[in-house]
Amino acid sequence: MTRTKTVVLAGASGFIGKYLRARFEQDGWTVKTVGRARTGGRRRTPARPGANGGTTGRKITHASWDDDGAITEVINGADLVINLAGRSVSCRYNARNKAAILGSRISTTAALGRAIAQCQRPPSTWLNASTGTIYRDARDRPQTESDGELGTGFSVEVARAWEAELEAAVTPVTRKIPLRIAIVLGAGGGALRPFANLARLGLGGHMGNGTQKFSWVHVEDLYRCARFLHARTDITGPVNVASPDVVSNRELMQLVRRAYGARFGVPTPAWLLRAGAVLIRTETELVLKSRWVQPQKLLDSGFVYSQPELGRALLQVAKGTA
């Protein structure tokens, strides 16, 4: 009889986490979680009958970040840990928000490292979210894991610190991989919604000069990448999680307009984007920085994408079928 595999999803309350949970469960995995405290304390599975007529006891299936012992219990014996925890970066980068963004990533990664170090049966793989925005604003060539140049600025500082915390964790039995994830797309969520809303309003033209690159990945391929990396024990170090179909912002907005049936789109100059970002309390970096993330390790390892083409993916997302 095949043993049921277990994955621990940390920080899985958002769009990506909910999708991954559903997909792992569909594929027969047991899913446990680490996140914010829930009403009633630790979540446990019901007691089951034992061989001698007693019960096997109840096992924790959810642990909160403030309970190191519970986190260890949840992770002990699991096959795979995936950490997605971190406050949203869609906000103004004032001192308070910067501290929250950085702290939410560092503290959760550190907590998982402490827990795994205490496990009698540690997981074989720990995938920890990072970001493709760790690379510089690239318009001249793609940024691979081997020759990509790290950038500057607050977002890059966060990514560096995030990955450094993962590297510092002492987990000799557990392989650690930072996932440098591009912008994630999918039906019902992801980063596409603001672009789609602009297109519907007739404002779906290019942003800034439109030459900035747009790297993306479909949420289904993010899930498949996690499964792939867990199985491929020969892959180590940071992995760029992105589609090889990188487009410019101008091309992106053309495809968005086509997907959502918008006949035209008024371009948005950089100065207007900066003014608008202040009003809606976000940063223009999210749309003006050029992200050219090349998934070289995945391509070299033979990973096959289910959604390799942006135009087709956007049409399916718009229809709610992908």
Side-chain angles (χ1 to χ4, degrees), residues 295-317:
Q296 200 62 53
K297 286 187 179 180
L298 290 177
L299 294 174
D300 290 346
S301 301
F303 180 75
V304 178
Y305 290 82
S306 67
Q307 293 283 355
E309 182 184 330
L310 180 58
R312 182 173 299 178
L314 289 177
L315 286 170
Q316 294 183 2
V317 169

Side-chain angles (χ1 to χ4, degrees), residues 46-129:
R48 294 175 295 176
N52 298 319
T55 61
T56 59
R58 295 186 297 173
K59 295 182 179 180
I60 294 176
T61 60
H62 175 79
S64 62
W65 288 116
D66 60 356
D67 191 339
D68 275 15
I71 298 174
T72 299
E73 186 173 341
V74 163
I75 294 176
N76 191 46
D79 299 277
L80 171 63
V81 172
I82 302 176
N83 181 26
L84 303 168
R87 174 176 167 167
S88 171
V89 296
S90 183
C91 61
R92 296 298 293 173
Y93 289 166
N94 57 39
R96 181 177 179 179
N97 288 339
K98 282 183 175 181
I101 290 169
L102 179 61
S104 65
R105 287 157 173 76
I106 300 304
S107 63
T108 52
T109 301
L112 292 175
R114 292 193 303 269
I116 292 174
Q118 294 298 315
C119 287
Q120 294 181 345
R121 292 175 294 137
S124 61
T125 310
W126 174 10
L127 305 178
N128 208 73

